[in-house]
Amino acid sequence: MSEIKTLFKNISWVTSSQIVVNICAFLWTILIARYLGVNDYGILSFAISFTVLLGMGTDIGMTTFTTREISQDKSKAKKYINNVIPFKIVLSIALFLITALLLYLMGYNKLVIEVALIMSIETIFICMIQFISGVFQAHENQKYNSIGGIFAGILLLLFTSITICFDLGLMAVALSYALTYLLFLIFMTIKMNQHCGIPKFEFDFKFWKTTAIKSIPFGLSIFFYTVYFSIDVVMIQFLAGDYATGIYNSAYKIVSVFAAFYVIYQYVIFPLMSKLYAENTDMLKLSFIESFKYSLLILLPLSIGVYFYSPYIIDLIYSSEYALASSVMQILIWTVVFLFINGVASSLLNSIGKEFSVTKIYLVAAVFNIVLNYMMIPVYSYNGAAITTVLSEILIFVLMMYSISKTEYKADWSLINTCAKLIISGIILAVVLYWINVSIWLAIPIGLVVYLVALVLTRSIDDTDKYIIKEILKR
């Protein structure tokens, strides 16, 4: 099977999974937000963001590093599985104790502490799932990751629906998350055992040390990225209170559903790029250019549509109680475009051994985000946090492109020309949507037709795109 067909097969699996998961996430987000109300939803949002930040300590970049190493040499799989899993268990125990201590020292009330501790357990389960997923990812087999994701999405929707039906409260909502990911972890463990054999835990401390040191650049990148992408919710809670947190996070959750498709390319492109770096650098550059192009082609019209119809979307999903969130969503939706493009760029840099460059970029972005949030939130509340997030993504984009420009994979004129054509197509779409001013249900088909016509007029689809389509359709 050609690389293109393998890539398309994996994209198909992950896309199918993300569609189901995002539909479920869309539904459980509505149910939970409506059930809990703004204040309790703010507490849950804080607990999730707080524990996600601390959850970086259970991985320290080992998943990404392991994926790259196994992608380049499949014979290393057993050694990493046998050592990294027990290592992560030790880190997870430490994480839980540190989380409990920090919450106590920071003076949170009992409810907030209990919800956050439950979510920290869920975070531990997720980190273990991600490692196992990374093993399948390295083998370019996304089937079980995708099936497990679908399984988890449906279960969480079911558990939260039961919780709401029986009016079990905020704690039960948090427990629904933890139970779902425990079952997801069990499923992934069974599949890993079937395909890689039952792990024989090894406590090779020298290997642990070597792996940890080599993983640190990846871990720091993930940590700094998570800080700037999650710290806003934590800072809003500190600086503006539960109500503002609930408003911000209601919009953030919708944008996150769109952003979740980011994992499609991250899951399939990173191992492929790592493999191509060792085998075919020309194909590696092509994969970067085409990934960049398709991210912009797909996400630009999506962002434009959401920008124009955010008030309607917020009212439809959450009710008028969350009406103030529409302005937040209009701002945050632009992070999706840069999120995908920056993800493609970071995958390229990580695959060619430039992980320290990625680490430094996310460090700068994290500091920038924290400082700007501290300045913006007291003045502009949730809108200030949204603006800060977008500006942080733009900063990352500029720094990523600068780092890539110093390698042999720097963007050439053809990519710049293609991006210009796509932006022109997007502007045409925006002008038409503004001018016609119709309901969202009419705007979707009209906008799709207008955008496709604009792509044709600007000649945005080239011979390479046609070749890729033919390879995918070829039997």
Side-chain angles (χ1 to χ4, degrees), residues 59-60 62 65 79-91 200-216:
D59 187 77
I60 61 172
M62 287 185 290
F65 174 72
K79 184 67 175 176
Y80 279 98
I81 292 171
N82 292 344
N83 277 277
V84 173
I85 290 178
F87 191 11
K88 286 173 72 69
I89 291 173
V90 172
L91 291 174
K200 297 179 180 178
F201 289 170
E202 298 176 15
F203 293 82
D204 185 339
F205 296 110
K206 184 178 179 180
F207 184 83
W208 285 19
K209 180 181 177 181
T210 302
T211 301
I213 292 173
K214 291 183 178 180
S215 299
I216 285 174

Side-chain angles (χ1 to χ4, degrees), residues 188-204:
M188 293 298 289
T189 302
I190 292 171
K191 290 303 176 183
M192 183 184 68
N193 292 346
Q194 290 175 349
H195 289 267
C196 302
I198 298 174
K200 297 179 180 178
F201 289 170
E202 298 176 15
F203 293 82
D204 185 339

Side-chain angles (χ1 to χ4, degrees), residues 102 124 156 192 215 364 381:
L102 283 175
I124 290 169
L156 184 52
M192 183 184 68
S215 299
V364 172
S381 190

Side-chain angles (χ1 to χ4, degrees), residues 12 59 254 340:
S12 298
D59 187 77
I254 298 176
F340 272 71

Side-chain angles (χ1 to χ4, degrees), residues 102-115:
L102 283 175
L103 289 167
Y104 175 76
L105 293 176
M106 294 169 77
Y108 286 105
N109 63 50
K110 182 180 178 183
L111 178 62
V112 173
I113 292 175
E114 289 176 349
V115 172

Side-chain angles (χ1 to χ4, degrees), residues 30-37 163-170 173:
I30 297 171
L31 292 173
I32 291 173
R34 285 174 175 263
Y35 172 64
L36 294 179
T163 298
I164 293 168
C165 182
F166 289 94
D167 193 18
L168 300 178
L170 175 59
V173 172

Side-chain angles (χ1 to χ4, degrees), residues 68-332:
R68 189 183 74 177
E69 293 300 296
I70 297 176
S71 296
Q72 296 176 348
D73 185 354
K74 301 297 190 294
S75 65
K76 295 180 179 180
K78 274 288 186 182
K79 184 67 175 176
Y80 279 98
I81 292 171
N82 292 344
N83 277 277
V84 173
I85 290 178
F87 191 11
K88 286 173 72 69
I89 291 173
V90 172
L91 291 174
S92 297
I93 294 171
L95 164 73
F96 184 81
L97 296 175
I98 291 171
T99 301
L101 179 62
L102 283 175
L103 289 167
Y104 175 76
L105 293 176
M106 294 169 77
Y108 286 105
N109 63 50
K110 182 180 178 183
L111 178 62
V112 173
I113 292 175
E114 289 176 349
V115 172
L117 288 178
I118 292 171
M119 298 313 294
S120 71
I121 294 173
E122 179 229 16
T123 300
I124 290 169
F125 293 154
I126 290 174
C127 289
M128 295 300 295
I129 291 166
Q130 288 173 341
F131 174 75
I132 298 173
S133 296
V135 174
F136 284 117
Q137 186 183 355
H139 286 89
E140 297 181 76
N141 181 356
Q142 300 295 342
K143 178 179 179 180
Y144 299 109
N145 301 343
S146 302
I147 293 173
I150 293 171
F151 170 70
I154 294 172
L155 272 184
L156 184 52
L157 177 59
L158 175 63
F159 289 155
T160 52
S161 298
I162 292 172
T163 298
I164 293 168
C165 182
F166 289 94
D167 193 18
L168 300 178
L170 175 59
M171 286 289 292
V173 172
L175 286 169
S176 297
Y177 279 85
L179 178 58
T180 295
Y181 286 98
L182 172 61
L183 295 174
F184 188 1
L185 176 59
I186 292 172
F187 170 80
M188 293 298 289
T189 302
I190 292 171
K191 290 303 176 183
M192 183 184 68
N193 292 346
Q194 290 175 349
H195 289 267
C196 302
I198 298 174
K200 297 179 180 178
F201 289 170
E202 298 176 15
F203 293 82
D204 185 339
F205 296 110
K206 184 178 179 180
F207 184 83
W208 285 19
K209 180 181 177 181
T210 302
T211 301
I213 292 173
K214 291 183 178 180
S215 299
I216 285 174
F218 297 103
L220 288 175
S221 297
I222 296 169
F223 175 75
F224 293 135
Y225 173 81
T226 305
V227 165
Y228 100 80
F229 211 68
S230 299
I231 197 67
D232 45 9
V233 176
V234 177
M235 292 185 72
I236 289 172
Q237 205 276 343
F238 272 116
L239 299 173
D242 291 335
Y243 184 85
T245 305
I247 289 295
Y248 180 83
N249 206 57
S250 60
Y252 183 91
K253 283 295 183 183
I254 298 176
V255 174
S256 295
V257 171
F258 295 120
F261 285 95
Y262 163 68
V263 303
I264 296 173
Y265 251 92
Q266 280 293 88
Y267 265 62
V268 299
I269 271 296
F270 178 58
L272 177 60
M273 283 184 168
S274 299
K275 179 181 176 182
L276 290 176
Y277 179 60
E279 298 177 358
N280 190 331
T281 54
D282 290 335
M283 281 293 293
L284 175 57
K285 184 173 183 178
L286 177 63
S287 69
F288 166 66
I289 291 173
E290 293 303 306
S291 298
F292 190 108
K293 174 181 177 179
Y294 295 146
S295 296
L296 187 59
L297 184 149
I298 295 170
L299 295 166
L300 185 58
L302 172 67
S303 298
I304 291 170
V306 172
Y307 176 83
F308 278 107
Y309 290 94
S310 62
Y312 179 83
I313 294 171
I314 289 291
D315 186 62
L316 177 66
I317 294 174
Y318 293 116
S319 80
S320 58
E321 182 182 3
Y322 290 84
L324 294 174
S326 63
S327 61
V328 179
M329 191 163 73
Q330 285 181 316
I331 300 168
L332 280 179

